[in-house]
Amino acid sequence: MKRLVYIFNQLYLLSLSLWVAGMFLLGILVEIMVRVTLREDPLTGSLIMNRIMDVYNVHIVYTCIGVMLTAEAVKFLVRNYSQAPMENRVVTKRRYTREVVLAVMVVLALYMGSVLRPEMHAVDQQKKANPSDQKLQIQFDRFHSKFTWIYSINMILGLSLFYIHGKEMTRFRDDPTGG
């Protein structure tokens, strides 16, 4: 059972790494590169960013969420229903801090991927059809600003999960000598 928990712990970390690194890579690097490179052709830049963000925010993030929630469920089941129960490793002042942080990240990601992203696409399509309409540009900029803020919050929460997990790994080593 310990081996199973270890494997799911590693899958959890891999998924968290893909999620957080993807936010940094796409939110900072790719967007800047596309805006700078395609400054003269904003329609192509918009199309490229929409496609990249659709793949990332839906397929990749939702897969990471599924793996992370599965890992948490396996750890919960092993901890509570296994023949050799495992201890609950808490390194924060509050007992379920890690789970609450993950839950907030999941809710924000689902909101971004399922609600905010389609709304942004709809406004973006209207904006492309009516490039002179400033109200659409303002509305799109508000959506983009909101998306950026939520992305930033999720990045900070993801880094917090790494910190908590790092504390767990150092505090609860199987070999106390470190060897």
Side-chain angles (χ1 to χ4, degrees), residues 30-64:
V30 172
E31 185 166 0
I32 291 170
M33 292 301 294
V34 167
R35 284 181 190 240
V36 169
T37 305
L38 297 172
R39 185 176 309 172
E40 300 82 31
D41 191 6
L43 293 178
T44 303
S46 173
L47 180 67
I48 290 170
M49 279 309 297
N50 284 342
R51 287 190 180 161
I52 290 171
M53 296 304 274
D54 284 349
V55 169
Y56 175 74
N57 284 319
V58 176
H59 302 293
I60 294 173
V61 170
Y62 287 5
T63 302
C64 290

Side-chain angles (χ1 to χ4, degrees), residues 88-99 160-172:
N88 194 6
R89 299 176 170 185
V90 179
V91 295
T92 55
K93 290 182 181 182
R94 303 266 189 249
R95 183 176 172 104
Y96 295 105
T97 301
R98 183 170 43 90
E99 291 82 0
S160 300
L161 283 178
F162 275 122
Y163 177 73
I164 292 169
H165 200 80
K167 279 178 71 172
E168 289 173 353
M169 289 172 57
T170 56
R171 188 170 297 168
F172 299 108

Side-chain angles (χ1 to χ4, degrees), residues 57 107-118 147 150-151 154:
N57 284 319
V107 168
L108 291 176
L110 291 175
Y111 173 72
M112 283 190 305
S114 300
V115 177
L116 194 56
R117 184 187 54 80
F147 204 86
I150 295 172
Y151 239 64
N154 256 1

